[in-house]
Amino acid sequence: MNLILFDDRDRLDTRHVRLSDPERLRHLRDVQRAEPGDELSVGLLGGRWGRGRLLSLDAAGAVFEIHLDRDPPAPLPVHLLLALPRPRMLARTLEHVTALGVKRLTLLHTRRVEKSYWQSPELRPEKIRHHLLLGLEQARDTQLPHLDFEPRFKPFIEDRLPGQLAGRRALIAHPGMAETCPRGLAEPVTLAVGPEGGFIPYEVERLQALGFTGVHLGERILRVETAVTALLARLF
Amino acid sequence: MNLILFDDRDRLDTRHVRLSDPERLRHLRDVQRAEPGDELSVGLLGGRWGRGRLLSLDAAGAVFEIHLDRDPPAPLPVHLLLALPRPRMLARTLEHVTALGVKRLTLLHTRRVEKSYWQSPELRPEKIRHHLLLGLEQARDTQLPHLDFEPRFKPFIEDRLPGQLAGRRALIAHPGMAETCPRGLAEPVTLAVGPEGGFIPYEVERLQALGFTGVHLGERILRVETAVTALLARLF
């Protein structure tokens, strides 16, 4: 935990916060071995971050005196369209992409996504939020990503996606495409990444018809979580 | 499993192999639902890969008729010096970097590596090999990485590392360094990546004295497994 995030409900006054979440208190005590007087990195969800001096730590909570003078790191200018990964990989992928600075993520159904994945407990809001917060705390960020679910491919790409593409470069990452993935872009990008097993040809064609350009990362087939990190690191 | 790897002991003759490892047989039967007559991607460890036609599948083994006509994907020209990650992250990192094409990996002790990590069962040769094979099978590669262990920092960087740097660009990835990580290199690179918590200043200085240039990936602090994937994707 490189940053302790709190939200407005944790504020005691303009200069003091109290954390009372048992899991964070345990981490603070047993992993970070924090003691009153210690200075730690703290941040306000949706706001700035900086230093917090621990004033007291007991079973009821940890009180910090805070001084927030730093802006969160810049977001990546990307809208990630990701075929819903299997649950265990979803959890890790949410942490990776949040740490990397993705602020807009759409989890999408495609033919090769198992339908059972949409019933996974990993999709519960509190589970999703937990992984997003871990990603933020890892990267010292305070801005939660915005997350959409699109459990039906066709209505999404026909009714909603076209209106979301204005002014953006649209890329579909897929093995066997003609172009290699570009490097060091500064413009806004919408990036579509398929499931294990890839998009089916029909899905690639539909996205290409909307203006998506197919790109690849070489002949190696990567796991979704590795591929997404590699794509984002290369694109920006 | 995008590739079924076998080794020379599995060969029946020049055109036939029998897999008998119970775990792979179970995967073939229960996950891939393979049946005699199916064509699957198969490869020879250290050799070529191609197609295999499943002739029979029973409790004793799976016999394939093989036709290996493809070379494995190109390796990355990198020697990765990685501070030993904690065991759970080591397992995943071995799979990521093997899938990405790393062929030379040194796991290194640094001050912020917990000494107990060196006693982890994850360091047993059969465990390491298991993760390397998973990485190869993911990426359809057949060339195992070469792995060294350096449980003492000073003797390694004084006695062995200098002789390994000839003709290579040497980079140390560390938050706060002056230069951003370069992109799209074609030359051989030795890349040093620290543990959670980073290298200590003394370690950075010793590596810089050997000619390593400090580079960073931005202000976000990434987990080791995310950082390594991002660095490799950006460098090559």
Side-chain angles (χ1 to χ4, degrees), chain B:
Chain B
M1 198 153 61
N2 297 311
L3 183 72
I4 300 169
L5 274 174
F6 56 91
D7 64 32
D8 268 331
R9 290 165 304 178
D10 300 319
R11 291 191 96 126
L12 298 174
D13 56 43
T14 55
R15 295 198 51 211
H16 296 87
V17 293
R18 176 163 53 211
L19 281 186
S20 45
D21 171 50
E23 196 190 329
R24 274 126 163 263
L25 288 177
R26 193 195 53 74
H27 192 275
L28 204 59
R29 205 175 42 229
D30 301 343
V31 181
Q32 298 194 286
R33 300 184 194 283
E35 292 183 3
D38 287 356
E39 293 251 328
L40 295 159
S41 293
V42 299
L44 176 62
L45 204 57
R48 309 186 87 191
W49 69 281
R51 306 299 293 167
R53 196 158 60 87
L54 185 58
L55 299 182
S56 65
L57 173 61
D58 57 33
V63 175
F64 290 90
E65 182 182 81
I66 57 170
H67 180 64
L68 307 184
D69 56 353
R70 303 182 69 166
D71 290 319
L76 292 184
V78 71
H79 177 190
L80 179 61
L81 303 183
L82 182 64
L84 182 67
R86 63 189 151 85
R88 228 176 24 169
M89 193 169 300
L90 171 65
R92 290 205 300 269
T93 303
L94 288 174
E95 294 176 28
H96 292 310
V97 305
T98 304
L100 288 162
V102 170
K103 296 300 172 199
R104 187 150 179 221
L105 174 61
T106 299
L107 292 170
L108 178 66
H109 187 67
T110 70
R111 180 73 70 83
R112 293 200 181 120
V113 171
E114 281 191 30
K115 289 203 173 138
S116 65
Y117 295 172
W118 290 98
Q119 265 69 54
S120 163
E122 286 293 336
L123 291 188
R124 283 189 208 135
E126 70 274 17
K127 285 270 196 176
I128 296 272
R129 185 179 167 93
H130 173 71
H131 294 295
L132 300 180
L133 289 173
L134 285 176
L136 292 182
E137 290 178 337
Q138 170 65 43
R140 286 193 183 154
D141 196 351
T142 65
Q143 310 286 331
L144 274 173
H146 178 81
L147 191 60
D148 292 311
F149 297 95
E150 293 286 357
R152 293 175 62 211
F153 182 79
K154 249 178 104 175
F156 170 62
I157 67 151
E158 287 177 0
D159 303 339
R160 286 182 290 285
L161 183 56
Q164 297 173 5
L165 295 175
R168 307 181 71 86
R169 183 156 170 178
L171 301 174
I172 171 172
H174 189 64
M177 294 283 101
E179 296 183 27
T180 61
C181 179
R183 295 174 188 275
L185 303 182
E187 75 226 73
V189 172
T190 298
L191 173 67
V193 179
E196 305 287 307
F199 290 111
I200 61 171
Y202 165 81
E203 291 160 349
V204 174
E205 285 159 24
R206 291 302 304 260
L207 289 166
Q208 286 177 323
L210 288 177
F212 280 75
T213 303
V215 299
H216 70 85
L217 273 178
E219 34 176 340
R220 296 176 177 276
I221 300 176
L222 300 175
R223 275 197 200 172
V224 168
E225 60 172 326
T226 319
V228 168
T229 299
L231 286 161
L232 294 172
R234 190 160 162 145
L235 284 171
F236 301 107

Side-chain angles (χ1 to χ4, degrees), chain A:
Chain A
M1 197 153 63
N2 297 309
L3 183 72
I4 300 168
L5 274 175
F6 56 91
D7 65 30
D8 267 332
R9 290 165 304 178
D10 300 319
R11 292 190 95 126
L12 299 174
D13 56 45
T14 55
R15 296 200 48 212
H16 295 88
V17 291
R18 177 165 51 212
L19 281 186
S20 44
D21 171 50
E23 195 190 329
R24 274 127 162 263
L25 287 176
R26 193 197 52 73
H27 192 275
L28 203 58
R29 205 175 42 228
D30 300 344
V31 180
Q32 299 194 286
R33 300 184 194 284
E35 292 183 4
D38 287 356
E39 293 251 327
L40 295 159
S41 293
V42 298
L44 175 63
L45 204 58
R48 311 185 86 190
W49 69 281
R51 306 299 292 169
R53 196 159 60 87
L54 185 57
L55 299 182
S56 64
L57 173 62
D58 57 33
V63 176
F64 289 91
E65 183 183 79
I66 56 170
H67 180 65
L68 307 183
D69 56 353
R70 302 182 69 166
D71 290 319
L76 292 184
V78 70
H79 177 190
L80 180 60
L81 303 184
L82 183 64
L84 182 67
R86 64 189 150 86
R88 228 178 22 168
M89 194 170 300
L90 171 65
R92 289 205 301 268
T93 303
L94 289 174
E95 294 176 28
H96 292 310
V97 305
T98 304
L100 288 161
V102 170
K103 296 300 173 198
R104 189 153 178 219
L105 174 60
T106 299
L107 292 170
L108 179 65
H109 187 68
T110 70
R111 180 74 69 83
R112 294 202 181 119
V113 171
E114 282 191 29
K115 289 204 173 138
S116 66
Y117 296 172
W118 290 98
Q119 266 68 54
S120 164
E122 286 293 336
L123 291 187
R124 283 188 207 138
E126 69 274 18
K127 285 268 197 179
I128 297 270
R129 185 178 166 92
H130 173 71
H131 294 295
L132 300 180
L133 288 174
L134 285 176
L136 292 182
E137 289 180 336
Q138 170 66 44
R140 288 194 182 154
D141 196 351
T142 65
Q143 309 285 333
L144 274 172
H146 179 80
L147 192 60
D148 293 310
F149 298 94
E150 293 286 358
R152 293 175 62 213
F153 182 80
K154 247 178 107 174
F156 170 61
I157 67 150
E158 287 177 359
D159 303 338
R160 285 181 291 285
L161 184 56
Q164 297 173 5
L165 294 175
R168 309 181 69 86
R169 184 157 170 177
L171 301 174
I172 171 172
H174 190 63
M177 294 283 101
E179 297 183 27
T180 61
C181 179
R183 295 174 187 274
L185 303 181
E187 75 226 73
V189 171
T190 298
L191 173 67
V193 179
E196 304 288 307
F199 290 110
I200 62 171
Y202 166 80
E203 291 160 349
V204 174
E205 285 158 24
R206 292 301 304 260
L207 288 166
Q208 286 176 323
L210 288 177
F212 280 75
T213 303
V215 298
H216 70 84
L217 274 178
E219 34 176 340
R220 296 175 178 275
I221 301 175
L222 301 175
R223 275 198 200 171
V224 168
E225 60 173 325
T226 318
V228 169
T229 299
L231 287 161
L232 294 172
R234 192 160 160 140
L235 284 171
F236 301 106

